[in-house]
Amino acid sequence: MIDFGYGISPSSAINLDKFDRTRFEELAREEPDVLKCMACGSCAASCPTAGHSDMNLRRVILLLGRGREDEVLRMVSHCMLCGKCLIVCPRGINTRHLILSVTKIYQKK
Amino acid sequence: MKDRFISGYNDFVLPFVIGMSFILIYLVIGIIRVIIQLPAADRKKFFLSLINPKLWVINLKDIICDVLLHTKIWKRKPLLGYMHSSIAFGWFMLIVLGHIETWLFVPDRLSTFYYPVFFRFFVMETDHTLKGSFFFFLMDFFLLVVLSGVFLAMFKRIRSMMFGMRRTTRNQIPDRLAMYCLWAIFPVRLLAESFTAGIAGGSFLTRPMYWLFSNFLTNTYHILPTWWAYSTLLGTFFVLLPFTRYMHIPTEAFLIVLRNAGIKVSHPRKGYSIAQIYSCSNCGMCIDACPMMGQKKNLRFATVYFNRLLRRRNWARCEESADKCLMCGKCVAVCPVGVDSCNIKRSLRGLRAAPAPADYSYFTSYSLPEGVENSQEKVLYYAGCMTQLTPVISKAVAAVLDHAGVDWSFMDRDGGICCGRPLILAGRDERAQEMIRRNTELIRQSGATTLLLSCPICYKVFRENYDLKGIRIVHYTEYFDELVRLGRITLRNSGEKIVYHDPCELGRGCKVYRQPRRVLSAAGELVEAEKHHDESICCGGSLGSLTLSYEDRKDITLKALDNLMYASPERIVTACPLCLKTFSPYSPRKVSDFAEVVAQNMN
Ligand code: SF4
Ligand code: SF4
Ligand code: SF4
Ligand code: SF4
Ligand code: SF4
């Protein structure tokens, strides 16, 4: 290929077939709310841990949907369960219970 | 009055003796089990309370008021109160009088424990002693009292609406059997005593019945069968007792003694909690009280059913109920027995919670805003997570404090750690300890002497779970009330019609009712909601519930708003950031925070 001095980056699309989604499906069964998230980020913006820890509920939900479970448990371990995200979520997602369920389901080996 | 039989015995007493022995043994074992299961510190408290004469007086008073006279039900629903106290107090008096009679007339039989119960069968009248007729009168009188209660109870089953209760509890088979026994015991006793009245004497009830029956029945033939029936009913009732709601009759007194000893729930199904759930009389008052019951599908989450499921150790369904509950505390406030169901549910949540490793090491990165540390400022204001979401409140608080010239600083101006109450409500008490530790450090560091709070949720946890000796913990409703009374702020009355919503955690949780009302009535024309103070309805936003859906919450919010609109106010005022947030989108009138109203009406 001719080098034009710039290139097209490889596709960042995620191949969902490559990930094991069984746990996410289990989570979605227990907590159908998780599918309603529109990744607006209100939860992360209002979170009192923001700037002090890497807890970010929006990111947690996105990562789980992509089967990236590795970081998630560490992130939710910082949550104070304060409920601010519950109050601000425009989709009415029961975020606190979602966080509890994430811990429960993803902890199982 | 003298003995009719030398032996002082007849076979018919057997069912009663068996039933009574069974229940006594059962109770003794139960009480020992509860005491063994108490944590060591509580057990010590319990034994110490038994040698404290002051507590004896309180226990006695509580037992008479709650167990015998049911004063709490009287206050709420007089007819229902009469029903309960007539049966309980009437029955108690029948037992006491039976013993007095035995003691007076045949003292050597006092040690035979069935004798006073069947007194009328075992004695015969010698001459008409004045004393005898006095007791006959009393016995007939109290029997009549009990019978009136029993008839009301039967009637209540049929028309529970008449008593102002929309729903009564669904009964189960053992409950029902025991209930029929209870209904039958006293009419049968009346029959038995009436047939015997010719021999043992009687009064205004039993004597006329005796004469009436003698017109068409041979009374003597009916004496034994009716006494057999009476004894069998009593025996059956006692054997059924542990498996029914009527277990509350013997356990409630024990619960009162434990409660007055200062014992708290520590395990949902052990020790103190056993006394709690067995003392639930299934009266059903908690059903109408619960804000979730607006929707029929939530009926099964009512506290009464939770207690019942817990007795049967149906953990899965108990957990579901416990997770649903808003922890608003209303069912506890209305419960005539005082079943502390919120704390039982909380400890159940803790017990059933999946282990969740928490990592709060990042807490060290939170600090006080610049200038606060080691300052000479006295008042430290902690807004808390919820007030951070409603800056209108913290701004109003700041305006009032500045206006009054208070020397204050803002602890979490640049963000802060949660107070820990939401975790405690979720039953994760140990996790909350880390927050408590770090916040305590920060507060101590500031050198403040007063901690001011604007969120009742924080207020409760700072009062109950923090060790801040030497620092005054105060909610802004109390603090502003003080400022007004000291003349540091003066208010003008806008004449606006305002209604005050009692936030659950502030009202039922911390018993603050007077101060916000006193301030608000200086700022406007204060009216009351239909249900207020202890009976105020949760806004629906409570962090207490873990699983209640958005839609169900909305339903509760609308109901609470309806309640607040009772006296057609122009403005709704609350003193909780979460209430403000919850009400605002749905309210037909402007919803304001307490601090806003004060700030707007300051001179
Ligand atoms: S509940 Fe957890 S994730 Fe939500 S705002 Fe509070 S700390 Fe952040
Ligand atoms: S606020 Fe709600 S919708 Fe928005 S990202 Fe968070 S969870 Fe998703
Ligand atoms: S919990 Fe209290 S109010 Fe509810 S049924 Fe039991 S005794 Fe009655
Ligand atoms: S605490 Fe409130 S929501 Fe929970 S059961 Fe009692 S009344 Fe219902
Ligand atoms: S938001 Fe206020 S009223 Fe509602 S549950 Fe919480 S403290 Fe109670």
Side-chain angles (χ1 to χ4, degrees), chain B residues 413-481:
Chain B
R413 189 187 64 207
D414 309 326
I417 302 169
C418 171
C419 62
R421 175 94 180 138
L423 270 175
I424 292 179
L425 280 171
R428 274 80 171 168
D429 293 37
E430 336 77 68
R431 275 181 78 168
Q433 291 312 315
E434 300 224 20
M435 281 147 218
I436 294 178
R437 206 171 309 126
R438 183 65 187 144
N439 277 327
T440 308
E441 264 171 36
L442 290 174
I443 294 166
R444 290 274 180 217
Q445 222 177 70
S446 76
T449 50
T450 300
L451 179 67
L452 179 68
L453 304 155
S454 52
C455 173
I457 309 170
C458 310
Y459 181 50
K460 187 160 166 91
V461 76
F462 277 111
R463 269 189 16 170
E464 289 179 5
N465 303 78
Y466 279 68
D467 180 17
L468 289 170
K469 234 175 247 117
I471 299 176
R472 181 175 174 224
I473 300 162
V474 65
H475 188 246
Y476 70 160
T477 51
E478 299 167 293
Y479 194 68
F480 291 179
D481 175 52

Side-chain angles (χ1 to χ4, degrees), chain A:
Chain A
M1 222 199 258
I2 310 161
D3 184 4
F4 291 106
Y6 60 87
I8 299 168
S9 62
S11 166
S12 60
I14 298 153
N15 183 352
L16 289 178
D17 292 340
K18 279 195 188 160
F19 299 106
D20 175 13
R21 300 227 322 161
T22 38
R23 290 202 195 183
F24 185 75
E25 272 148 21
E26 188 185 339
L27 179 69
R29 259 196 311 279
E30 186 155 316
E31 210 78 52
D33 271 6
V34 70
L35 302 173
K36 289 200 283 185
C37 175
M38 57 183 187
C40 69
S42 307
C43 48
S46 65
C47 181
T49 75
H52 297 270
S53 86
D54 61 358
M55 174 62 191
N56 177 330
L57 185 58
R58 169 181 176 274
R59 202 168 137 76
V60 165
I61 296 174
L62 288 176
L63 287 178
L64 290 180
R66 294 174 189 167
R68 302 245 323 261
E69 306 166 4
D70 34 342
E71 297 167 51
V72 163
L73 272 183
R74 194 196 63 244
M75 287 164 74
V76 294
S77 78
H78 297 143
C79 170
M80 303 194 246
L81 224 59
C82 71
K84 276 171 103 173
C85 47
L86 173 88
I87 311 288
V88 297
C89 177
R91 305 286 290 188
I93 296 175
N94 187 351
T95 53
R96 285 172 84 228
H97 199 253
L98 175 66
I99 292 167
L100 290 174
S101 303
V102 167
T103 334
K104 194 173 89 193
I105 291 169
Y106 286 87
Q107 212 162 203
K108 284 185 279 187
K109 282 283 161 311

Side-chain angles (χ1 to χ4, degrees), chain B residues 511-526:
Chain B
K511 303 277 172 256
V512 175
Y513 296 112
R514 215 166 10 111
Q515 295 90 331
R517 287 188 165 75
R518 199 154 48 198
V519 175
L520 288 175
S521 42
E525 184 200 339
L526 186 69

Side-chain angles (χ1 to χ4, degrees), chain B residues 476-531:
Chain B
Y476 70 160
T477 51
E478 299 167 293
Y479 194 68
F480 291 179
D481 175 52
E482 215 173 274
L483 291 179
V484 170
R485 285 195 296 151
L486 290 173
R488 293 179 68 180
I489 39 178
T490 49
L491 296 173
R492 58 172 171 274
N493 196 316
S494 64
E496 191 183 22
K497 209 166 159 186
I498 46 185
V499 67
Y500 173 68
H501 166 71
D502 287 291
C504 321
E505 298 266 58
L506 188 64
R508 283 185 288 266
C510 299
K511 303 277 172 256
V512 175
Y513 296 112
R514 215 166 10 111
Q515 295 90 331
R517 287 188 165 75
R518 199 154 48 198
V519 175
L520 288 175
S521 42
E525 184 200 339
L526 186 69
V527 292
E528 287 293 358
E530 187 180 5
K531 299 248 163 67

Side-chain angles (χ1 to χ4, degrees), chain B residues 75-348:
Chain B
K75 272 182 216 150
R76 296 180 54 82
K77 307 209 165 112
L79 201 52
L80 201 64
Y82 174 77
M83 185 192 101
H84 281 271
S85 53
S86 60
I87 300 179
F89 185 64
W91 199 354
F92 175 75
M93 285 312 287
L94 285 177
I95 297 169
V96 170
L97 287 169
H99 282 80
I100 295 179
E101 280 181 320
T102 314
W103 175 66
L104 278 177
F105 303 120
V106 273
D108 40 332
R109 296 287 187 201
L110 206 55
S111 54
T112 321
F113 86 101
Y114 59 79
Y115 198 94
V117 181
F118 305 111
F119 183 77
R120 294 278 184 100
F121 177 82
F122 287 116
V123 297
M124 57 196 282
E125 219 174 6
T126 41
D127 45 25
H128 294 269
T129 53
L130 206 56
K131 268 192 222 157
S133 53
F134 173 66
F135 283 110
F136 286 153
F137 172 78
L138 281 185
M139 287 298 258
D140 273 17
F141 173 74
F142 281 110
L143 187 57
L144 187 65
V145 169
V146 178
L147 283 171
S148 67
V150 169
F151 283 121
L152 273 177
M154 296 181 186
F155 191 63
K156 171 183 161 241
R157 271 286 134 196
I158 302 157
R159 288 284 321 263
S160 66
M161 290 291 287
M162 292 265 310
F163 290 76
M165 278 174 46
R166 278 195 291 136
R167 286 167 290 232
T168 82
T169 37
R170 280 175 271 125
N171 264 334
Q172 290 176 311
I173 292 166
D175 282 329
R176 212 168 280 179
L177 283 177
M179 184 175 76
Y180 295 142
C181 280
L182 192 63
W183 287 2
I185 285 172
F186 295 98
V188 170
R189 177 180 173 135
L190 176 64
L191 284 181
E193 291 194 345
S194 301
F195 288 132
T196 328
I199 304 166
S203 186
F204 67 93
L205 208 61
T206 38
R207 247 181 212 287
M209 296 257 302
Y210 174 79
W211 293 118
L212 185 72
F213 288 140
S214 66
N215 288 329
F216 54 93
L217 292 171
T218 315
N219 284 343
T220 43
Y221 289 168
H222 293 86
I223 293 180
L224 259 183
T226 44
W227 283 102
W228 262 102
Y230 178 50
S231 168
T232 312
L233 284 169
L234 280 174
T236 318
F237 182 70
F238 289 141
V239 171
L240 286 172
L241 202 63
F243 315 104
T244 64
R245 47 191 281 200
Y246 298 105
M247 193 61 179
H248 77 93
I249 302 171
T251 43
E252 199 182 335
F254 182 50
L255 173 70
I256 289 174
V257 175
L258 288 174
R259 180 165 46 218
N260 288 344
I263 292 170
K264 298 257 147 43
V265 173
S266 50
H267 185 287
R269 192 60 181 77
K270 278 192 185 153
Y272 187 45
S273 302
I274 297 187
Q276 296 258 4
I277 51 177
Y278 277 89
S279 296
C280 167
S281 63
N282 283 228
C283 68
M285 291 216 178
C286 49
I287 304 179
D288 280 344
C290 179
M292 292 191 292
M293 298 303 128
Q295 283 167 302
K296 234 182 157 167
K297 68 175 164 80
N298 287 336
L299 210 59
R300 65 202 175 96
F301 301 126
T303 297
V304 51
Y305 301 126
F306 171 81
N307 292 344
R308 204 186 264 176
L309 290 167
L310 197 55
R311 270 173 76 162
R312 286 196 245 125
R313 292 192 172 77
N314 189 335
W315 293 108
R317 285 192 53 199
C318 276
E319 196 182 336
E320 199 190 349
S321 280
D323 284 354
K324 203 56 102 181
C325 169
L326 291 154
M327 303 272 161
C328 73
K330 191 160 171 193
C331 54
V332 182
V334 303
C335 176
V337 184
V339 177
D340 189 4
S341 54
C342 282
N343 278 323
I344 299 179
K345 287 173 189 162
R346 232 172 37 75
S347 66
L348 181 76

Side-chain angles (χ1 to χ4, degrees), chain B residues 14 35 181 201 206 289 463 583 586 589:
Chain B
L14 276 179
I35 295 175
C181 280
T206 38
R463 269 189 16 170
F583 279 144
Y586 306 113
R589 295 286 179 279

